[in-house]
Coordinates of all heavy atoms in Angstrom, one line a residue:
V73 N 78.6 154.7 125.7 CA 77.6 154.4 124.6 C 78.1 153.1 124.0 O 79.2 153.0 123.6 CB 77.7 155.6 123.6 CG1 76.7 155.3 122.5 CG2 77.4 156.9 124.3
P74 N 77.3 152.1 123.9 CA 77.7 150.8 123.4 C 78.1 150.8 121.9 O 77.5 151.6 121.2 CB 76.4 149.9 123.6 CG 75.6 150.6 124.5 CD 75.9 152.1 124.4
Y75 N 79.1 150.0 121.6 CA 79.5 149.9 120.2 C 78.3 149.3 119.4 O 77.7 148.4 119.8 CB 80.8 149.0 120.1 CG 81.1 148.7 118.7 CD1 81.6 149.8 117.9 CD2 81.2 147.5 118.2 CE1 82.0 149.5 116.6 CE2 81.5 147.2 116.9 CZ 82.0 148.2 116.1 OH 82.3 148.0 114.8
N76 N 78.1 149.9 118.2 CA 76.9 149.4 117.4 C 77.3 148.5 116.2 O 76.4 148.2 115.4 CB 76.2 150.7 116.9 CG 77.0 151.5 115.9 OD1 78.2 151.2 115.6 ND2 76.5 152.6 115.5
G77 N 78.6 148.1 116.0 CA 78.9 147.2 115.0 C 79.0 147.8 113.6 O 79.1 147.1 112.6
A78 N 78.9 149.2 113.5 CA 78.9 149.8 112.2 C 80.1 149.7 111.4 O 80.1 149.9 110.2 CB 78.6 151.3 112.4
C79 N 81.3 149.3 112.0 CA 82.5 149.1 111.2 C 82.4 147.8 110.3 O 83.1 147.7 109.3 CB 83.7 149.0 112.1 SG 84.2 150.6 112.7
G80 N 81.5 147.0 110.6 CA 81.3 145.7 109.8 C 81.7 144.4 110.5 O 82.3 144.5 111.6
S81 N 81.3 143.4 109.9 CA 81.6 142.1 110.5 C 83.1 141.8 110.4 O 83.8 142.3 109.5 CB 80.9 141.0 109.7 OG 81.4 140.9 108.4
G82 N 83.6 141.2 111.4 CA 85.0 140.9 111.5 C 85.8 141.9 112.3 O 87.0 141.7 112.6
Y83 N 85.2 143.0 112.6 CA 85.9 144.1 113.3 C 85.7 143.9 114.8 O 84.5 143.8 115.2 CB 85.5 145.5 112.9 CG 86.1 146.0 111.6 CD1 85.7 145.6 110.4 CD2 87.3 146.7 111.7 CE1 86.3 146.0 109.2 CE2 87.9 147.1 110.5 CZ 87.4 146.8 109.3 OH 88.0 147.2 108.1
S84 N 86.7 144.0 115.6 CA 86.6 143.9 117.1 C 87.1 145.2 117.7 O 88.1 145.8 117.2 CB 87.4 142.7 117.6 OG 87.0 141.5 117.0
V85 N 86.5 145.6 118.8 CA 86.9 146.8 119.5 C 88.2 146.5 120.2 O 88.4 145.5 120.9 CB 85.8 147.2 120.6 CG1 86.3 148.3 121.4 CG2 84.5 147.5 119.8
V86 N 89.2 147.4 119.9 CA 90.5 147.3 120.6 C 90.7 148.5 121.6 O 91.5 148.3 122.5 CB 91.6 147.3 119.6 CG1 91.6 146.0 118.8 CG2 91.7 148.5 118.7
D87 N 89.9 149.6 121.5 CA 90.0 150.7 122.5 C 88.8 151.6 122.3 O 88.1 151.5 121.3 CB 91.3 151.5 122.2 CG 91.8 152.3 123.3 OD1 91.1 152.3 124.4 OD2 92.9 152.8 123.3
H88 N 88.6 152.4 123.3 CA 87.5 153.4 123.2 C 87.9 154.5 124.2 O 88.7 154.4 125.1 CB 86.2 152.8 123.6 CG 86.1 152.5 125.1 ND1 86.5 151.4 125.7 CD2 85.5 153.3 126.0 CE1 86.2 151.5 127.0 NE2 85.6 152.7 127.2
K89 N 87.3 155.7 123.9 CA 87.4 156.9 124.8 C 86.0 157.4 124.9 O 85.3 157.7 123.9 CB 88.4 157.9 124.1 CG 89.7 157.4 123.9 CD 90.5 157.3 125.1 CE 92.0 156.8 124.7 NZ 92.7 156.4 125.8
D90 N 85.6 157.7 126.1 CA 84.4 158.4 126.4 C 84.6 159.9 126.3 O 85.6 160.4 126.6 CB 83.9 158.0 127.8 CG 83.4 156.6 127.9 OD1 82.9 156.1 126.9 OD2 83.6 155.9 128.9
I91 N 83.5 160.5 125.7 CA 83.5 162.0 125.5 C 82.3 162.5 126.3 O 81.2 162.2 126.1 CB 83.4 162.4 124.1 CG1 84.4 161.7 123.2 CG2 83.4 163.9 123.9 CD1 84.2 161.7 121.7
D92 N 82.7 163.4 127.3 CA 81.6 164.0 128.1 C 81.6 165.5 128.0 O 82.6 166.2 128.2 CB 81.8 163.7 129.6 CG 81.6 162.2 130.0 OD1 80.7 161.7 129.5 OD2 82.5 161.7 130.7
G93 N 80.5 166.1 127.5 CA 80.3 167.5 127.5 C 79.6 167.9 128.8 O 78.4 168.0 128.9
I94 N 80.4 168.1 129.8 CA 79.9 168.3 131.2 C 78.9 169.5 131.2 O 77.8 169.5 131.7 CB 81.0 168.5 132.1 CG1 81.8 167.2 132.3 CG2 80.5 169.0 133.5 CD1 83.0 167.3 133.1
Q95 N 79.2 170.6 130.5 CA 78.4 171.8 130.5 C 77.3 171.6 129.5 O 76.2 172.2 129.7 CB 79.2 173.0 130.2 CG 80.3 173.3 131.2 CD 81.2 174.5 130.8 OE1 81.2 174.9 129.7 NE2 81.8 175.0 131.9
T96 N 77.5 171.0 128.4 CA 76.4 170.9 127.4 C 75.6 169.6 127.5 O 74.5 169.5 126.9 CB 77.0 170.9 126.0 OG1 78.0 169.9 125.9 CG2 77.7 172.3 125.7
G97 N 76.0 168.6 128.2 CA 75.3 167.4 128.4 C 75.5 166.3 127.3 O 74.9 165.2 127.3
E98 N 76.3 166.6 126.2 CA 76.5 165.6 125.2 C 77.4 164.5 125.7 O 78.4 164.8 126.4 CB 77.2 166.2 124.0 CG 76.3 167.1 123.1 CD 76.3 168.5 123.5 OE1 76.9 168.9 124.5 OE2 75.8 169.3 122.7
V99 N 77.1 163.3 125.4 CA 77.8 162.2 125.8 C 78.0 161.3 124.5 O 77.0 161.0 123.8 CB 77.2 161.3 126.9 CG1 78.0 160.1 127.2 CG2 77.0 162.2 128.2

């Protein structure tokens, strides 16, 4: 899921983790 910039200007992504609900379909 793409980063949406909600942390504000000047913040850069340094890490991410994907979350998959294999049985429920949430991503």
